[in-house]
Amino acid sequence: MTEIDIHGVCPPRFAAVKDAFAANFTDAPEGLNERGARFSVVIDGETVIDLRGGWADAAQTVPYGERTLTPVFSAGKAVMALLIATCVERGLLDYEATVASYWPEFGQAGKDGITVGQLMSHQAGLSGFAEAIDPTDWFNRAVVLEKLCAQAPLWAPGTASGYHPITIGYLAGELFRRVDGRTMGHALREDFPGLDLWIGLPESEFDRVATMRKPSAPPNLGVIDPVKRSAFFDRGSSPGQRESGEWRKAEIPSANLHGTALDLARILQAVAAGSFEGRTVLSEPVLEAARRERIHGQDKVLPFVMGWAAGFTCNRGLGIFGPHDETVGHCGWGGSTVLADPEVRLSAAYVMTRQSSHLIGDPRAQRLVDAVYSVF
């Protein structure tokens, strides 16, 4: 294999991180050698690591550069959760209030008692559709929302978590729009200016998007029951054509954020430290409420005993985001990973073009995160 040039910033203190990043291209765990990737770490507002290497295209003719955009899939849920937290900060939402108090139509079919906090922590029982939909329906937001409002929960809300792979983006996105007046995509660009992060990518940016290599095997979800089937396996459980222009342009906060690792790490400082570029975004009470574990146990969709905060995966019991239990983050389809650690005011993001079948804790990301924390 041709030697990969590694570019970017990594001080001598973090030499082990650069070594791990380079090794992921030639000697990745489980043979998942990188094709193109970037890893960034911000501590207390300062970018301390920003490494990139490899290729952005399948033919390996376009270098993976500073302006390369990568689809991060569910890792974008961390940004979605942050945007909801900004509404709590401004007094537009309360995690303990019911969703129906802001969005009356949502309260149909026994959902009138579901709180914002329960919705964001995947306890609402709307992880998929009780009756399968056509994949193209996802591109009609009104249709999706009408069906979700009319549907009864798939389990008793508040009794268990069940990861909502796609639906949570429509639900949280509409809740945000109801109280803020803007879509999440518009708010992201206006409230965090200068970041190369997109929920709904304009056609003018398409040529910067890296080509993804899909996993060679499906993820292991354990025994498939009706709840898991509706979330992942029904024909219409997710939008089709994930590299189409229609997919890229749609605003699906749970699934189709495109961006750079550096700017994901930068925006997650608002979760790790409450601030972004020197500006306070979230006060301590809101940070505590957003990061607090709201449920812990066997998830009904993912095959893990795990905890959920208000839109974030909790590190306690998993250990996929470093050594600290208070760290939160999110993983995306194929391996992308973001985290925010309030104990050391650290945020980090890993993006890549070769996808694995790991649902969480991709071994390449783990290698990098472990190397970072080996320094502390």
Side-chain angles (χ1 to χ4, degrees), residues 318-336:
L318 295 176
I320 59 174
F321 303 130
H324 301 142
D325 281 351
E326 299 307 311
T327 302
V328 296
H330 218 290
C331 299
W333 181 45
S336 56

PDB file of all heavy atoms in Angstrom, residues 318-336:
ATOM      1  N   LEU A 318     -20.429   2.083  29.091  1.00  0.00           N
ATOM      2  CA  LEU A 318     -19.954   1.746  27.749  1.00  0.00           C
ATOM      3  C   LEU A 318     -18.461   1.983  27.619  1.00  0.00           C
ATOM      4  O   LEU A 318     -17.739   1.174  27.026  1.00  0.00           O
ATOM      5  CB  LEU A 318     -20.695   2.563  26.687  1.00  0.00           C
ATOM      6  CG  LEU A 318     -22.194   2.305  26.526  1.00  0.00           C
ATOM      7  CD1 LEU A 318     -22.784   3.277  25.498  1.00  0.00           C
ATOM      8  CD2 LEU A 318     -22.469   0.870  26.106  1.00  0.00           C
ATOM      9  N   GLY A 319     -17.992   3.132  28.102  1.00  0.00           N
ATOM     10  CA  GLY A 319     -16.579   3.453  28.028  1.00  0.00           C
ATOM     11  C   GLY A 319     -16.059   3.675  26.622  1.00  0.00           C
ATOM     12  O   GLY A 319     -14.866   3.496  26.354  1.00  0.00           O
ATOM     13  N   ILE A 320     -16.922   4.103  25.716  1.00  0.00           N
ATOM     14  CA  ILE A 320     -16.494   4.301  24.324  1.00  0.00           C
ATOM     15  C   ILE A 320     -16.019   5.722  24.056  1.00  0.00           C
ATOM     16  O   ILE A 320     -15.462   6.002  22.994  1.00  0.00           O
ATOM     17  CB  ILE A 320     -17.624   3.946  23.341  1.00  0.00           C
ATOM     18  CG1 ILE A 320     -18.871   4.800  23.600  1.00  0.00           C
ATOM     19  CG2 ILE A 320     -17.945   2.463  23.408  1.00  0.00           C
ATOM     20  CD1 ILE A 320     -19.984   4.601  22.573  1.00  0.00           C
ATOM     21  N   PHE A 321     -16.219   6.632  25.014  1.00  0.00           N
ATOM     22  CA  PHE A 321     -15.827   8.022  24.845  1.00  0.00           C
ATOM     23  C   PHE A 321     -14.739   8.413  25.840  1.00  0.00           C
ATOM     24  O   PHE A 321     -14.712   9.535  26.340  1.00  0.00           O
ATOM     25  CB  PHE A 321     -17.039   8.951  25.018  1.00  0.00           C
ATOM     26  CG  PHE A 321     -18.193   8.664  24.097  1.00  0.00           C
ATOM     27  CD1 PHE A 321     -19.484   8.526  24.599  1.00  0.00           C
ATOM     28  CD2 PHE A 321     -18.007   8.531  22.733  1.00  0.00           C
ATOM     29  CE1 PHE A 321     -20.561   8.272  23.761  1.00  0.00           C
ATOM     30  CE2 PHE A 321     -19.077   8.274  21.885  1.00  0.00           C
ATOM     31  CZ  PHE A 321     -20.354   8.137  22.391  1.00  0.00           C
ATOM     32  N   GLY A 322     -13.841   7.495  26.170  1.00  0.00           N
ATOM     33  CA  GLY A 322     -12.801   7.792  27.125  1.00  0.00           C
ATOM     34  C   GLY A 322     -13.141   7.274  28.517  1.00  0.00           C
ATOM     35  O   GLY A 322     -14.120   6.545  28.715  1.00  0.00           O
ATOM     36  N   PRO A 323     -12.358   7.682  29.528  1.00  0.00           N
ATOM     37  CA  PRO A 323     -12.474   7.076  30.858  1.00  0.00           C
ATOM     38  C   PRO A 323     -13.496   7.711  31.783  1.00  0.00           C
ATOM     39  O   PRO A 323     -13.743   7.167  32.867  1.00  0.00           O
ATOM     40  CB  PRO A 323     -11.062   7.272  31.423  1.00  0.00           C
ATOM     41  CG  PRO A 323     -10.601   8.555  30.809  1.00  0.00           C
ATOM     42  CD  PRO A 323     -11.175   8.571  29.411  1.00  0.00           C
ATOM     43  N   HIS A 324     -14.097   8.845  31.405  1.00  0.00           N
ATOM     44  CA  HIS A 324     -14.925   9.585  32.352  1.00  0.00           C
ATOM     45  C   HIS A 324     -16.412   9.292  32.147  1.00  0.00           C
ATOM     46  O   HIS A 324     -16.936   9.415  31.035  1.00  0.00           O
ATOM     47  CB  HIS A 324     -14.661  11.084  32.215  1.00  0.00           C
ATOM     48  CG  HIS A 324     -13.241  11.454  32.469  1.00  0.00           C
ATOM     49  ND1 HIS A 324     -12.575  12.431  31.757  1.00  0.00           N
ATOM     50  CD2 HIS A 324     -12.330  10.949  33.357  1.00  0.00           C
ATOM     51  CE1 HIS A 324     -11.333  12.514  32.195  1.00  0.00           C
ATOM     52  NE2 HIS A 324     -11.156  11.631  33.152  1.00  0.00           N
ATOM     53  N   ASP A 325     -17.098   8.939  33.224  1.00  0.00           N
ATOM     54  CA  ASP A 325     -18.516   8.585  33.146  1.00  0.00           C
ATOM     55  C   ASP A 325     -19.385   9.750  32.698  1.00  0.00           C
ATOM     56  O   ASP A 325     -20.453   9.538  32.109  1.00  0.00           O
ATOM     57  CB  ASP A 325     -19.011   8.088  34.512  1.00  0.00           C
ATOM     58  CG  ASP A 325     -18.611   6.648  34.801  1.00  0.00           C
ATOM     59  OD1 ASP A 325     -18.098   5.980  33.883  1.00  0.00           O
ATOM     60  OD2 ASP A 325     -18.809   6.203  35.948  1.00  0.00           O
ATOM     61  N   GLU A 326     -18.990  10.983  32.991  1.00  0.00           N
ATOM     62  CA  GLU A 326     -19.821  12.142  32.669  1.00  0.00           C
ATOM     63  C   GLU A 326     -19.738  12.553  31.202  1.00  0.00           C
ATOM     64  O   GLU A 326     -20.481  13.427  30.755  1.00  0.00           O
ATOM     65  CB  GLU A 326     -19.430  13.335  33.548  1.00  0.00           C
ATOM     66  CG  GLU A 326     -19.605  13.080  35.043  1.00  0.00           C
ATOM     67  CD  GLU A 326     -20.994  12.591  35.397  1.00  0.00           C
ATOM     68  OE1 GLU A 326     -21.971  13.231  34.943  1.00  0.00           O
ATOM     69  OE2 GLU A 326     -21.112  11.574  36.096  1.00  0.00           O
ATOM     70  N   THR A 327     -18.833  11.952  30.455  1.00  0.00           N
ATOM     71  CA  THR A 327     -18.709  12.275  29.035  1.00  0.00           C
ATOM     72  C   THR A 327     -19.951  11.806  28.278  1.00  0.00           C
ATOM     73  O   THR A 327     -20.514  10.753  28.571  1.00  0.00           O
ATOM     74  CB  THR A 327     -17.465  11.605  28.430  1.00  0.00           C
ATOM     75  OG1 THR A 327     -16.311  12.053  29.149  1.00  0.00           O
ATOM     76  CG2 THR A 327     -17.292  11.954  26.959  1.00  0.00           C
ATOM     77  N   VAL A 328     -20.375  12.600  27.311  1.00  0.00           N
ATOM     78  CA  VAL A 328     -21.470  12.223  26.416  1.00  0.00           C
ATOM     79  C   VAL A 328     -20.988  12.336  24.979  1.00  0.00           C
ATOM     80  O   VAL A 328     -19.971  12.970  24.686  1.00  0.00           O
ATOM     81  CB  VAL A 328     -22.721  13.113  26.633  1.00  0.00           C
ATOM     82  CG1 VAL A 328     -23.297  12.925  28.017  1.00  0.00           C
ATOM     83  CG2 VAL A 328     -22.390  14.588  26.368  1.00  0.00           C
ATOM     84  N   GLY A 329     -21.716  11.733  24.081  1.00  0.00           N
ATOM     85  CA  GLY A 329     -21.338  11.810  22.676  1.00  0.00           C
ATOM     86  C   GLY A 329     -22.358  11.124  21.797  1.00  0.00           C
ATOM     87  O   GLY A 329     -23.505  10.903  22.201  1.00  0.00           O
ATOM     88  N   HIS A 330     -21.927  10.762  20.611  1.00  0.00           N
ATOM     89  CA  HIS A 330     -22.781   9.998  19.712  1.00  0.00           C
ATOM     90  C   HIS A 330     -21.930   9.378  18.620  1.00  0.00           C
ATOM     91  O   HIS A 330     -20.919   9.946  18.199  1.00  0.00           O
ATOM     92  CB  HIS A 330     -23.866  10.867  19.074  1.00  0.00           C
ATOM     93  CG  HIS A 330     -25.179  10.159  18.945  1.00  0.00           C
ATOM     94  ND1 HIS A 330     -25.377   9.118  18.056  1.00  0.00           N
ATOM     95  CD2 HIS A 330     -26.350  10.304  19.613  1.00  0.00           C
ATOM     96  CE1 HIS A 330     -26.620   8.674  18.179  1.00  0.00           C
ATOM     97  NE2 HIS A 330     -27.228   9.366  19.125  1.00  0.00           N
ATOM     98  N   CYS A 331     -22.350   8.205  18.187  1.00  0.00           N
ATOM     99  CA  CYS A 331     -21.694   7.509  17.080  1.00  0.00           C
ATOM    100  C   CYS A 331     -22.601   7.533  15.861  1.00  0.00           C
ATOM    101  O   CYS A 331     -23.828   7.637  15.986  1.00  0.00           O
ATOM    102  CB  CYS A 331     -21.379   6.067  17.465  1.00  0.00           C
ATOM    103  SG  CYS A 331     -20.273   5.899  18.880  1.00  0.00           S
ATOM    104  N   GLY A 332     -21.999   7.429  14.681  1.00  0.00           N
ATOM    105  CA  GLY A 332     -22.746   7.436  13.435  1.00  0.00           C
ATOM    106  C   GLY A 332     -22.487   6.193  12.615  1.00  0.00           C
ATOM    107  O   GLY A 332     -21.476   5.506  12.806  1.00  0.00           O
ATOM    108  N   TRP A 333     -23.406   5.916  11.698  1.00  0.00           N
ATOM    109  CA  TRP A 333     -23.322   4.731  10.843  1.00  0.00           C
ATOM    110  C   TRP A 333     -21.938   4.624  10.207  1.00  0.00           C
ATOM    111  O   TRP A 333     -21.488   5.537   9.526  1.00  0.00           O
ATOM    112  CB  TRP A 333     -24.410   4.805   9.771  1.00  0.00           C
ATOM    113  CG  TRP A 333     -24.441   3.626   8.835  1.00  0.00           C
ATOM    114  CD1 TRP A 333     -24.358   2.311   9.170  1.00  0.00           C
ATOM    115  CD2 TRP A 333     -24.584   3.662   7.405  1.00  0.00           C
ATOM    116  NE1 TRP A 333     -24.443   1.522   8.044  1.00  0.00           N
ATOM    117  CE2 TRP A 333     -24.580   2.334   6.944  1.00  0.00           C
ATOM    118  CE3 TRP A 333     -24.711   4.705   6.479  1.00  0.00           C
ATOM    119  CZ2 TRP A 333     -24.699   2.006   5.594  1.00  0.00           C
ATOM    120  CZ3 TRP A 333     -24.841   4.384   5.129  1.00  0.00           C
ATOM    121  CH2 TRP A 333     -24.832   3.049   4.693  1.00  0.00           C
ATOM    122  N   GLY A 334     -21.261   3.524  10.472  1.00  0.00           N
ATOM    123  CA  GLY A 334     -19.980   3.282   9.828  1.00  0.00           C
ATOM    124  C   GLY A 334     -18.777   3.632  10.656  1.00  0.00           C
ATOM    125  O   GLY A 334     -17.661   3.250  10.306  1.00  0.00           O
ATOM    126  N   GLY A 335     -18.963   4.394  11.763  1.00  0.00           N
ATOM    127  CA  GLY A 335     -17.815   4.651  12.614  1.00  0.00           C
ATOM    128  C   GLY A 335     -17.590   6.064  13.084  1.00  0.00           C
ATOM    129  O   GLY A 335     -16.794   6.293  13.992  1.00  0.00           O
ATOM    130  N   SER A 336     -18.226   7.054  12.467  1.00  0.00           N
ATOM    131  CA  SER A 336     -18.002   8.431  12.906  1.00  0.00           C
ATOM    132  C   SER A 336     -18.369   8.573  14.379  1.00  0.00           C
ATOM    133  O   SER A 336     -19.295   7.924  14.867  1.00  0.00           O
ATOM    134  CB  SER A 336     -18.807   9.411  12.051  1.00  0.00           C
ATOM    135  OG  SER A 336     -20.186   9.092  12.073  1.00  0.00           O
TER     136      SER A 336
END
